[in-house]
Amino acid sequence: MTATRISPPTPQAIAEAAEMLRRGHIVALPTETVYGLGADARSDDAIARIYAAKGRPATNPLIVHVADTAAARRYVAVFPPAAQTLADAFWPGPLTLILPRAKSLSPRLSAGLATVAIRCPAHPVALDLLRTFDGPIAAPSANRSGFTSPTTAQHVYAELNARVPLILDGGPCAVGVESTVLDLTTATPAILRHGAITSAMLAPLIGPVLAPTPSVRPDTPAPSPGMLDRHYAPATPAFRFAKPQWPAAQNWIAQQPKVVLLTTDPALTPPPPHEAIVLPADAAACARVLYASLREADTREGSSLLVLMPDTSDGLWAAIADRLRRATVPLPPA
Ligand code: TXA
Ligand code: MG
């Protein structure tokens, strides 16, 4: 494939992107969460191109993006009252619903499942493209499988140069972590992936929601079903610890050539030659810069990265802790 072009989202570029989608090609687009790698969700060949460009295992299904609730209804077999309630409350927005799929979608995008993941994104460029294309766009995060998700057009370029012809540049993503994935096909709705729409926001509208609260203990595995354990990974070996382990972490740091520490607590910083990247203590602000900070940490030429885990899983911290857990392994015992 020829080199990748980054384009501002002019009406011309949107029309061109829609035409590429119609011809079965892939296009990278901004959403409010992270950048996506889009293709026509009805075309098996187009979906195959997404999996090839990402190097994604065929067993991991994709999310279908639609322009509105009416379009969502066309691509599911059932749209239950709870889905309508949640769509009214949170769409366009970072909430993905798992529902029984419609036959018109490519079987390949659901990895053989009878269900589909569907959401309406809250980004003007994504919505513009969806309306111009006038069809469903399947889009996983626009990164190589297993690595850090992109929150700028430049991140997409770094991941997928020469693997995608066109990136629509919609600026930095406002949310910064992927959408909440909510399964509505089970007796009790269940969160499969934490995001900006939290169980505390969902429960008042639809009743109890199962939400695997990620333990803040750094040594326990991630609990969410259907998710890869190792994910969002930086290139540098990355470790995690919880605040009570700081003394042990300091001993460990002292034995390393150069550690880059990511920390929400500016009081916990290592001496030179080690470095610290201080993350915002506010959850929304932290989520927004999380992936860019992991990428920045990778450029500091550390021998390893070390991440202080959040000491709460309230609200958006659950999503942040989940991503950090998958991006790291526990600090080796002393
Ligand atoms: O915010 C987001 O959701 C971004 C933007 C681009 O919209 N997209 C994204 O897609 O994060 P991706 O492919 O990286 O993550 C999709 C997640 C995966 O964890 C996948 O396992 C889950 O959704 N998923 C997709 N279809 C599913 C299904 N039918 N049942 C259960 N989980 C499903
Ligand atoms: Mg992803």
Side-chain angles (χ1 to χ4, degrees):
M1 183 179 284
T2 51
T4 297
R5 193 156 47 91
I6 300 182
S7 173
T10 58
Q12 253 164 316
I14 302 257
E16 187 190 349
E19 185 51 31
M20 291 170 78
L21 292 175
R22 275 180 214 117
R23 284 190 271 121
H25 294 297
I26 55 177
V27 169
L29 65 145
T31 82
E32 81 281 32
T33 56
V34 300
Y35 274 70
L37 187 59
D40 186 340
R42 297 159 299 193
S43 161
D44 255 4
D45 289 348
I47 298 301
R49 291 198 171 102
I50 292 181
Y51 281 95
K54 279 187 61 103
R56 178 162 171 131
T59 48
N60 193 3
L62 310 180
I63 294 175
V64 174
H65 298 70
V66 289
D68 51 36
T69 307
R73 286 179 176 276
R74 282 200 282 283
Y75 299 107
V76 299
V78 191
F79 202 71
Q84 184 64 54
T85 303
L86 295 177
D88 288 343
F90 299 116
W91 281 0
L95 177 66
T96 295
L97 303 177
I98 307 291
L99 292 165
R101 51 178 281 129
K103 289 200 174 64
S104 55
L105 294 173
S106 156
R108 205 188 285 252
L109 77 84
S110 283
L113 298 172
T115 53
V116 64
I118 199 157
R119 85 176 186 103
C120 174
H123 194 293
V125 175
L127 289 171
D128 218 0
L129 180 59
L130 281 162
R131 290 190 196 110
T132 308
F133 174 55
D134 195 22
I137 300 178
S141 51
N143 50 281
R144 299 277 292 159
S145 184
F147 293 94
T148 311
S149 299
T151 52
T152 67
Q154 288 68 33
H155 295 165
V156 180
Y157 188 88
E159 293 275 329
L160 296 173
N161 182 23
R163 291 174 170 269
V164 58
L166 177 64
I167 303 169
L168 293 175
D169 187 350
C173 300
V175 177
V177 293
E178 298 81 351
S179 60
T180 303
V181 177
L182 181 72
D183 191 348
L184 285 180
T185 68
T186 46
T188 306
I191 291 181
L192 302 184
R193 180 176 70 186
H194 290 278
I197 308 297
T198 63
S199 54
M201 295 159 77
L202 295 166
L205 297 175
I206 57 165
V209 171
L210 300 177
T213 307
S215 160
V216 292
R217 287 183 51 207
D219 53 346
T220 49
S224 319
M227 304 278 299
L228 300 172
D229 245 17
R230 181 96 182 123
H231 211 86
Y232 314 110
T236 314
F239 302 89
R240 62 176 178 265
F241 72 104
K243 203 172 276 184
Q245 291 176 294
W246 177 235
Q250 283 174 295
N251 288 339
W252 182 82
I253 291 169
Q255 293 158 31
Q256 308 302 314
K258 178 179 167 183
V259 173
V260 180
L261 176 70
L262 278 111
T263 174
T264 45
D265 183 347
L268 305 194
T269 49
H274 311 293
E275 292 178 15
I277 295 176
V278 178
L279 296 167
D282 169 72
C286 185
R288 204 173 297 131
V289 301
L290 184 69
Y291 292 140
S293 302
L294 283 170
R295 284 171 191 277
E296 163 68 18
D298 251 346
T299 67
R300 299 278 185 99
E301 295 179 336
S303 48
S304 44
L305 309 185
L306 185 59
V307 174
L308 170 66
M309 293 299 284
D311 51 17
T312 164
S313 52
D314 283 356
L316 200 41
W317 288 114
I320 295 169
D322 170 70
R323 302 318 189 269
L324 289 174
R325 190 177 300 101
R326 291 175 209 277
T328 56
V329 297
L331 195 62

